[in-house]
Amino acid sequence: MSSKAPIGVFDSGVGGLTVVKEIMHQIPGETIIYFGDTARLPYGSKSKETVTTYTRQIVRFLMAKDVKAIVIACNTASAFALETVKAEFDVPIIGVVKPGAAVAADTTKNGMIGVIGTEGTIRSGIYNEFLSLTNPQVKVYGKACPLFVPLVEEGLIDDPITMEMARRYIGELIEYDIDTLVLGCTHYPLLRKTIRKIVGDQIALVNPAYETAKSLKQVLVEHALENDEVLKSDHKFFVSDGAEKFKRFANSILPCEVVETKDVNIENY
Ligand code: DGL
């Protein structure tokens, strides 16, 4: 595998772009192939079996594009399917949960950590698992926020309805005296300003994207796959539905221009 090969990144929709942004910032020499499974979103309310089937198809699609490594930029798919696809495919694959849990364990001072995520991620108990391994003393309070993903996908980021939902979802976590809140869904960093207004300045917000990009860099170095030449960026974007809408959104958050987004029939993979 050539170090010039691209990196595959995927999510159920636009959320994984928060991870892409961080990868572009930390390792600008790398080329990204992104897939957003917009036709089958949300993943958060689906079963482990369904999300694993979707994840396998996307990994096959990305491998057909000759990627040198894959980032599952989706907490739900990382929670449900990372270990399965790591065992099945011969390419380095990383998720976002382990890096996010590591930062949260380092950040908390009082050992009280809140985690917000999709129903699937919270139900899986995966943050709890990783956090307790790092520090058995921590107490983890999870809260599923199922309406956040559709609100982001609809572009209602600064809308009063989003503020009201954030108040309902996060209000009860604040009661537990948490000092750290993990944004355990890659869509949520896009709601950071709203969430900050609800939690105030005393609670640290953890976005796993930063640590994920750092882990990716480390994995590339370990496999001698780091691209040391800065190439002319040739990032490519694919979705399973709504290519134009996705392109507009991507252009509003990424530091590069997204010229084209293509539709893919992912069920063929
Ligand atoms: N952005 C994804 C996550 O991090 C999933 C959102 C969804 O499709 O429910 O979990």
Side-chain angles (χ1 to χ4, degrees), residues 43-134:
Y43 281 12
S45 53
K46 298 196 167 69
S47 68
K48 180 174 177 159
E49 290 67 33
T50 301
V51 173
T52 304
T53 302
Y54 292 173
T55 302
R56 261 193 207 107
Q57 288 173 331
I58 299 167
V59 169
R60 280 191 210 112
F61 165 75
L62 292 171
M63 289 192 73
K65 300 274 171 214
D66 290 326
V67 296
K68 63 182 174 185
I70 292 177
V71 179
I72 304 187
C74 170
N75 287 261
T76 315
S78 300
F80 282 160
L82 175 64
E83 292 313 317
T84 306
V85 289
K86 265 172 84 169
E88 290 177 357
F89 295 91
D90 189 21
V91 65
I93 307 181
I94 65 164
V96 284
V97 174
K98 203 171 171 187
V103 194
D106 266 5
T107 306
T108 185
K109 302 258 183 310
N110 71 358
M112 312 285 251
I113 300 176
V115 178
I116 51 174
T118 65
E119 284 169 321
T121 301
I122 299 302
R123 207 175 351 105
S124 76
I126 190 140
Y127 271 99
N128 227 320
E129 210 177 286
F130 280 126
L131 282 162
S132 319
L133 280 179
T134 322

Side-chain angles (χ1 to χ4, degrees), residues 11-12 41-44 74-76 118 121 149 185-187:
D11 178 39
S12 58
L41 169 141
Y43 281 12
C74 170
N75 287 261
T76 315
T118 65
T121 301
V149 168
C185 169
T186 51
H187 282 71

